[in-house]
Amino acid sequence: MKHYRWQIALAAALIAASALMYLVHWLIFRDAHHIFLYVVGDIAFLPIEVLLVTLVLHQLLQRHERHERFSKLNMVVGAFFSEVGKGLIRALTACDAGIETTRRHLAVDDSWTARQFAAACKHLRHAQPQMEVDPATLTTIMNLLLAKREFLLRLLENPNLLEHQRVTDLLWAVFHLTEELMQRTDLTASPASDLAHLAGDVRRVYMSLLGEWILYMAHLKKEYPYLFSLALRTNPLNPQASAVVG
């Protein structure tokens, strides 16, 4: 009850102030008909006012809040790709038996439109690339993930990131692959059945990474063209990529 005392006091003060002003109006003009006419009119408009505030204004505020959260999310996603994601994509492309097909469908350039980004995302939802893993490549991937483990753990503390299921799923897939690789004391001794299991974990991370990369590139092209230019020049799917402007 204590938490609502100030609200009750405020409501009482506002009602009293309104009653006082109506009383002053009546004392000056002695016109009760005019007072009640406006009181009824104001009450009649109240539902429309509630509609405007709760639906229209609330929706506008929610849309602004979602945009702010989305911008903060993409800042974190950008840090992820700069620190881990792009290097991980490069490492995982070594396992993609159909890498040329993947590159052809995801060959982002300056001319890409929203429709092309959507088509790339659709392709990734249905793609099932054949992943061929070997102990040497898996060791490279494991070393990369272990080197960035602290950074990845810090990402889990970011509430903006964990509000989005898609990014959360990507992080879980990355952590799962890391744990799987860490549990093997000697990857060179892994039988074919175990390598096939690890190939499935690698594919899960790879597809999730590529999907997030395309969405991030679409965001940069729309909102930050200068960052999009750098991202194009350092595209992890392009083996000849270079930040140097030639």
Side-chain angles (χ1 to χ4, degrees):
M1 188 66 180
K2 291 181 179 179
H3 298 291
Y4 297 103
R5 283 182 180 175
W6 71 270
Q7 294 174 325
I8 295 172
L10 177 62
L14 291 173
I15 293 172
S18 181
L20 179 62
M21 285 185 281
Y22 277 124
L23 177 61
V24 170
H25 184 282
W26 183 80
L27 290 173
I28 296 174
F29 299 104
R30 302 286 179 171
D31 189 352
H33 174 268
H34 185 269
I35 292 175
F36 283 109
L37 180 66
Y38 275 93
V39 168
V40 172
D42 289 342
I43 293 174
F45 184 73
L46 190 58
I48 298 176
E49 188 174 5
V50 171
L51 174 69
L52 292 174
V53 172
T54 58
L55 294 184
V56 179
L57 184 59
H58 182 64
Q59 286 295 326
L60 289 175
L61 291 174
Q62 275 194 327
R63 183 179 301 177
H64 177 73
E65 186 179 348
R66 283 196 301 269
H67 183 269
E68 289 293 318
R69 286 204 306 266
F70 183 69
S71 296
K72 291 178 181 178
L73 168 69
N74 277 292
M75 287 178 64
V76 180
V77 170
F80 166 77
F81 276 112
S82 178
E83 188 73 20
V84 184
K86 288 194 284 189
L88 187 54
I89 290 176
R90 291 189 189 97
L92 295 177
T93 55
C95 304
D96 186 353
I99 184 59
E100 294 307 322
T101 301
T102 302
R103 284 175 177 150
R104 186 169 63 252
H105 281 95
L106 307 182
V108 182
D109 60 39
D110 259 328
S111 65
W112 268 39
T113 62
R115 179 176 295 181
Q116 286 170 293
F117 281 110
C121 290
K122 183 179 179 180
H123 166 76
L124 288 172
R125 284 195 296 271
H126 300 287
Q128 289 293 329
Q130 181 182 352
M131 307 302 286
E132 298 178 350
V133 300
D134 58 71
T137 305
L138 290 175
T139 300
T140 300
I141 294 170
M142 180 177 67
N143 290 337
L144 170 63
L145 291 174
L146 289 178
K148 303 298 182 179
R149 187 173 176 81
E150 185 178 346
F151 173 81
L152 292 170
L153 287 171
R154 287 204 305 271
L155 284 183
L156 293 177
E157 300 172 2
N158 192 304
N160 293 309
L161 203 62
L162 297 180
E163 285 180 4
H164 296 263
Q165 188 64 43
R166 191 184 66 243
V167 182
T168 304
D169 289 344
L170 168 59
L171 286 178
W172 276 118
V174 170
F175 277 113
H176 176 72
L177 177 59
T178 306
E179 291 297 322
E180 286 276 5
L181 294 174
M182 286 174 59
Q183 296 303 314
R184 272 74 175 175
T185 54
D186 184 6
L187 285 168
T188 59
S190 298
S193 57
D194 194 43
L195 291 177
H197 173 78
L198 291 172
D201 293 330
V202 167
R203 181 189 295 110
R204 185 184 301 111
V205 173
Y206 186 51
M207 299 309 294
S208 187
L209 262 177
L210 292 180
E212 202 57 47
W213 172 250
I214 291 298
L215 291 173
Y216 178 62
M217 292 289 279
H219 169 72
L220 291 185
K221 188 175 192 301
K222 180 181 178 182
E223 302 289 344
Y224 303 101
Y226 60 97
L227 291 177
F228 178 68
S229 172
L230 177 60
L232 277 182
R233 285 180 275 121
T234 57
N235 190 337
L237 290 171
N238 181 3
Q240 282 81 43
S242 172
V244 178
V245 179

